[in-house]
Amino acid sequence: MPEPETLLPAAGDVDTDVEAVAPRVVLFDFDGVLFRGDAFHLFIRERYRRSWWRWLPAVLVAPLLLLILPFSWRLPMHVLVRIALFGLGERRYRLAAETFAADLARRPRQFHRDALQVLRQHQLQGDRVIVVTGCEHALVSGIVQQLGLTGLDVLASQLRPGWLGMRVHWHNVGGRKVQLLAKQGLSAWQVAYGDSMHDVAMLKVAAEPVLVNGTPTLCKKVEKALGRTVARVEWF
């Protein structure tokens, strides 16, 4: 008897099967969503606290920075970061960031417990979780590791070595979050959790945009920017 003919699925069926098993992509901002406050700001403030001499150049350039501030907040911020990181090479910076990350992780009230629980639930459901943040990569990665969060990706701001110390290489805010995601081959995602107008670009692409602890005024601004309603959650 002839062998029964093997039936191969059509190309369209193969694509459908692959899509069916592909995990959902879920994005979490860090500062304001998982973390209460701004982690890198706290790190920079700690650098000034530990090295009192850094205040001298900061005070000297303060009048000029105040004149620039109404037109651009990025340049004053970069200058203050450069002063805070003056003299730090890549190795010493990474050690300082990891040490501070361990300190922050020991402050339970510094984190939104509800957010961490939801993140873990997404992982248990098989979703691909990505933390997309303006916080610096070594610092936020250290915090995530100290919290015992595994199996997720971190896309964050990056520093690079300079002649006088570490300096900003990529500030991962606003539309740059979407650009960095695109470099990872991602052009769409199912859920995105954000807490400010800086997350609008990321929320706009999401099938389910979620605003975390947003005021009614902020919610209206975000919805106007997106052209649709957003889900709102209150996390503690």
Side-chain angles (χ1 to χ4, degrees):
M1 297 179 61
E3 293 292 332
E5 183 178 355
T6 301
L7 297 179
L8 297 178
D13 294 336
V14 174
D15 292 341
T16 301
D17 290 342
V18 171
E19 291 176 1
V21 299
R24 298 196 316 160
V25 176
V26 178
L27 309 182
F28 282 82
D29 183 25
F30 185 75
D31 294 321
V33 173
L34 298 172
F35 186 83
R36 298 178 187 270
D38 187 319
F40 191 67
H41 171 78
L42 293 178
F43 173 74
I44 294 300
R45 192 171 70 177
E46 180 70 6
R47 294 293 304 167
Y48 278 99
R49 189 185 72 82
R50 288 179 173 271
S51 303
W52 62 267
W53 59 266
R54 297 182 192 275
W55 285 102
L56 180 58
V59 169
L60 290 176
V61 301
L64 178 60
L65 299 183
L66 289 174
L67 290 175
I68 298 173
L69 190 59
F71 306 99
S72 172
W73 59 269
R74 286 194 178 120
L75 180 58
M77 182 202 68
H78 286 183
V79 171
L80 293 176
V81 169
R82 288 291 300 277
I83 295 173
L85 301 181
F86 178 82
L88 276 185
E90 189 171 8
R91 183 176 179 182
R92 286 183 58 203
Y93 168 75
R94 184 171 293 277
L95 178 60
E98 291 174 351
T99 300
F100 191 68
D103 177 62
L104 288 180
R106 289 192 292 268
R107 307 178 190 178
R109 294 184 179 180
Q110 195 74 67
F111 300 88
H112 289 126
R113 290 176 297 177
D114 294 337
L116 297 176
Q117 183 177 1
V118 170
L119 186 151
R120 292 187 174 99
Q121 286 175 349
H122 277 295
Q123 289 185 311
L124 289 174
Q125 293 169 3
D127 297 336
R128 179 185 177 186
V129 174
I130 306 176
V131 175
V132 188
T133 174
C135 187
E136 192 279 324
H137 191 273
L139 178 60
V140 68
S141 295
I143 296 172
V144 166
Q145 182 179 10
Q146 289 290 331
L147 291 175
L149 298 175
T150 59
L152 53 76
D153 298 314
V154 175
L155 300 181
S157 295
Q158 298 175 4
L159 303 177
R160 64 179 175 85
W163 288 103
L164 302 178
M166 301 297 287
R167 58 187 301 176
V168 177
H169 173 61
W170 177 269
H171 194 197
N172 196 44
V173 297
R176 290 193 167 196
K177 291 186 176 183
V178 176
Q179 294 176 28
L180 195 55
L181 285 159
K183 291 181 179 180
Q184 305 299 314
L186 295 171
S187 59
W189 35 90
Q190 281 64 50
V191 187
Y193 296 94
D195 74 306
S196 73
M197 290 297 292
H198 294 301
D199 298 318
V200 164
M202 180 177 78
L203 295 172
K204 193 169 188 177
V205 183
E208 301 175 36
V210 183
L211 187 62
V212 178
N213 295 345
T215 63
T217 300
L218 176 61
C219 186
K220 289 180 181 179
K221 289 182 178 180
V222 171
E223 290 183 338
K224 182 177 180 180
L226 298 184
R228 56 180 169 139
T229 59
V230 297
R232 295 173 60 185
V233 295
E234 295 292 332
W235 284 347
F236 301 96

